[in-house]
Amino acid sequence: MERRSRKRRRTESPLKSRFDEFPTALLRSIFNRLNFNEIVQAKSVCCSWNLLGEELVSNIPWLMLPSTKQVEEGDGTDVDHNGYHGFWNLRENRLYSLKTAPKEFTECCCIGSSRGWLVFLQEKTVPFLFNPFKQVKIQLPSVDRLLGLKKMVRNINGEFELDYFNSEKGSRRFRFKSCTKQRVRECFIQKAILMKKPENNNRNYGLVLLCNNSEEIAYHASGSNYWTVLEANHPPYQDIICHGNYLYALSDNNSIEVWELHTGDGRVEKKSDIVFRFPDRSLTKLNSLRDVCTMRFYLVESCGDLLFVVRFIGDYVNWDGTLLSEYDLLTEDCNHPKVCPYRTFLFHVYKMDFKELKWVEMDTLGDRALFVGGNQSVSVFSKL
């Protein structure tokens, strides 16, 4: 029996080696033709296949959907009291439902998603990372002092009852006695993004929070038990993004502050603080539509480039897409039930020229597609 065992091990080792040495470009081409379930199965073959599968799964844009009950009882827009039970895979145009929805999906507030991980905030202001496909949970240090919250307890109505520290930090904000999940995102934590995703031992990652009405940025490195509040010079901020070991923060005055983040010891180093000239084309467009629209800004990393996305949002839009002002709504012609409160009607995209330190307008995204919003903005291949 011992001889057979040794012989079997000798025959298995070369086979495993052949799988690991499969040409990367060819392997990636094959994996790009697999659906989600097939990729999950292929990941178990060997280390190299597992790494590639992890990369592809985390890069697929997923839409987290409300529960079936929520959709049946309403329009699915109120996500304050119910949870999320399904994920829409845009690559396959298919819904994947969770057989057993974790309690975190209904009891906690989702404050961000990044690199295939979700970020939740539970009672007592304790955040954690959660991977819905691996069912892995990583506890993070409390953010009670960071947010100025002494108590955050969920009541029977699904809202969070709040109590504040008697400090200057807490007095800067509205002191709600209770708030919904949506209000938590609006007032306390606006964005949560990973600098690096956790490795197999759940180490060597970093998480960044944009919080307190977008006025503060905090950083946590794995292995530490605290949050570091970054020295921010131009709050409030429109967006933040991690690229490599660097954090970029875009402020309302079109400045970008850059910090180098270290996951090993949690150190933070300020690298630059540059105010860029706002693109003339977008400024001209805004001036022509100032009474009927607003702008929102995003940072996106795409193929090594840093992109600046300007989103034009109509305050009120008619059914045929016509932009309306508040005055128009009072007229008889526009007093129509099919008037939307707002609608995105235009995007401008620019690329950073690091040598000239200016934004360069882009005419096309090529084979890329951009996903922007309250969570980490991402760039993916348009041929999903």
Side-chain angles (χ1 to χ4, degrees), residues 39-287:
I39 292 177
V40 171
Q41 295 174 2
K43 284 169 69 231
S44 62
V45 173
C46 61
C47 293
S48 61
W49 290 31
N50 179 64
L51 290 175
L52 179 57
E54 284 289 321
E55 175 190 336
L56 294 178
V57 169
S58 62
N59 288 338
I60 295 174
W62 296 85
L63 295 180
M64 190 163 64
L65 303 180
S67 65
T68 303
K69 176 183 177 183
Q70 200 168 341
V71 174
E72 292 174 349
E73 295 180 354
D75 59 5
T77 59
D78 182 8
V79 295
D80 285 324
H81 306 310
N82 294 302
Y84 309 91
H85 292 254
F87 294 86
W88 188 265
N89 187 324
L90 296 180
R91 179 180 178 179
E92 303 174 24
N93 196 28
R94 175 182 175 184
L95 175 65
Y96 286 86
S97 300
L98 299 176
K99 293 181 179 179
T100 304
K103 64 178 183 179
E104 288 84 3
F105 277 39
T106 54
E107 297 180 2
C108 303
C109 176
C110 184
I111 57 174
S113 65
S114 178
R115 303 179 187 272
W117 290 75
L118 300 174
V119 189
F120 283 96
L121 184 66
Q122 59 188 347
E123 289 188 340
K124 301 180 181 179
T125 61
V126 178
F128 61 90
L129 295 172
F130 183 76
N131 189 308
F133 302 115
K134 294 182 177 180
Q135 297 287 295
V136 174
K137 180 178 178 179
I138 302 176
Q139 206 72 43
L140 302 170
S142 173
V143 291
D144 53 355
R145 293 287 177 179
L146 176 65
L147 303 180
L149 291 174
K150 183 165 59 175
K151 185 183 78 170
M152 180 179 177
V153 179
R154 192 172 173 85
N155 60 29
I156 58 175
N157 296 322
E159 296 186 343
F160 292 102
E161 295 182 356
L162 308 175
D163 191 14
Y164 301 82
F165 289 109
N166 293 322
S167 65
E168 184 178 349
K169 174 187 282 288
S171 65
R172 292 205 308 261
R173 295 184 296 279
F174 300 104
R175 287 178 170 252
F176 307 107
K177 292 184 178 180
S178 64
C179 71
T180 62
K181 291 180 180 180
Q182 182 65 24
R183 184 61 64 83
V184 170
R185 289 296 301 267
E186 291 175 352
C187 299
F188 295 102
I189 299 180
Q190 288 69 55
K191 185 161 288 195
I193 60 174
L194 281 168
M195 172 192 166
K196 292 182 180 179
K197 61 183 180 181
E199 297 176 346
N200 293 331
N201 57 358
N202 294 336
R203 304 285 294 179
N204 198 33
Y205 66 87
L207 183 70
V208 182
L209 301 180
L210 178 61
C211 54
N212 296 331
N213 294 318
S214 300
E215 293 184 355
E216 291 185 321
I217 302 174
Y219 171 60
H220 164 70
S222 59
S224 67
N225 57 0
Y226 58 88
W227 293 88
T228 299
V229 178
L230 278 59
E231 182 182 351
N233 296 331
H234 304 287
Y237 293 93
Q238 286 272 344
D239 202 5
I240 56 175
I241 189 172
C242 287
H243 177 40
N245 293 330
Y246 295 93
L247 169 70
Y248 299 83
L250 175 69
S251 72
D252 281 346
N253 68 349
N254 204 36
S255 71
I256 291 185
E257 294 177 67
V258 183
W259 294 267
E260 184 176 8
L261 307 178
H262 300 267
T263 55
D265 52 15
R267 288 184 297 111
V268 177
E269 298 179 53
K270 187 70 169 285
K271 288 298 182 181
S272 64
D273 184 354
I274 306 172
V275 178
F276 295 91
R277 177 182 173 86
F278 193 81
D280 291 335
R281 183 192 179 201
S282 295
L283 185 59
T284 301
K285 189 68 175 179
L286 176 64
N287 289 335

Side-chain angles (χ1 to χ4, degrees), residues 207-378:
L207 183 70
V208 182
L209 301 180
L210 178 61
C211 54
N212 296 331
N213 294 318
S214 300
E215 293 184 355
E216 291 185 321
I217 302 174
Y219 171 60
H220 164 70
S222 59
S224 67
N225 57 0
Y226 58 88
W227 293 88
T228 299
V229 178
L230 278 59
E231 182 182 351
N233 296 331
H234 304 287
Y237 293 93
Q238 286 272 344
D239 202 5
I240 56 175
I241 189 172
C242 287
H243 177 40
N245 293 330
Y246 295 93
L247 169 70
Y248 299 83
L250 175 69
S251 72
D252 281 346
N253 68 349
N254 204 36
S255 71
I256 291 185
E257 294 177 67
V258 183
W259 294 267
E260 184 176 8
L261 307 178
H262 300 267
T263 55
D265 52 15
R267 288 184 297 111
V268 177
E269 298 179 53
K270 187 70 169 285
K271 288 298 182 181
S272 64
D273 184 354
I274 306 172
V275 178
F276 295 91
R277 177 182 173 86
F278 193 81
D280 291 335
R281 183 192 179 201
S282 295
L283 185 59
T284 301
K285 189 68 175 179
L286 176 64
N287 289 335
S288 67
L289 301 171
R290 187 172 295 277
D291 295 333
V292 294
C293 84
T294 55
M295 290 193 302
R296 184 76 173 85
F297 308 139
Y298 304 92
L299 291 177
V300 190
E301 184 276 324
S302 179
C303 297
D305 291 321
L306 182 63
L307 305 185
F308 174 44
V309 179
V310 181
R311 174 186 175 194
F312 292 85
I313 305 171
D315 297 329
Y316 300 96
V317 183
N318 209 340
W319 185 250
D320 61 1
T322 304
L323 294 174
L324 307 175
S325 66
E326 291 188 22
Y327 174 79
D328 293 329
L329 296 177
L330 300 178
T331 65
E332 184 176 355
D333 292 339
C334 295
N335 189 14
H336 195 278
K338 293 183 179 178
V339 172
C340 303
Y342 75 92
R343 181 187 297 174
T344 299
F345 69 94
L346 180 64
F347 286 98
H348 287 172
V349 182
Y350 303 88
K351 179 172 65 174
M352 168 55 62
D353 184 334
F354 285 96
K355 292 183 179 180
E356 299 292 333
L357 295 180
K358 65 178 183 179
W359 297 115
V360 179
E361 184 178 351
M362 297 182 66
D363 296 326
T364 177
L365 295 176
D367 58 1
R368 308 296 294 183
L370 304 183
F371 289 80
V372 298
N375 298 314
Q376 178 175 332
S377 299
V378 296

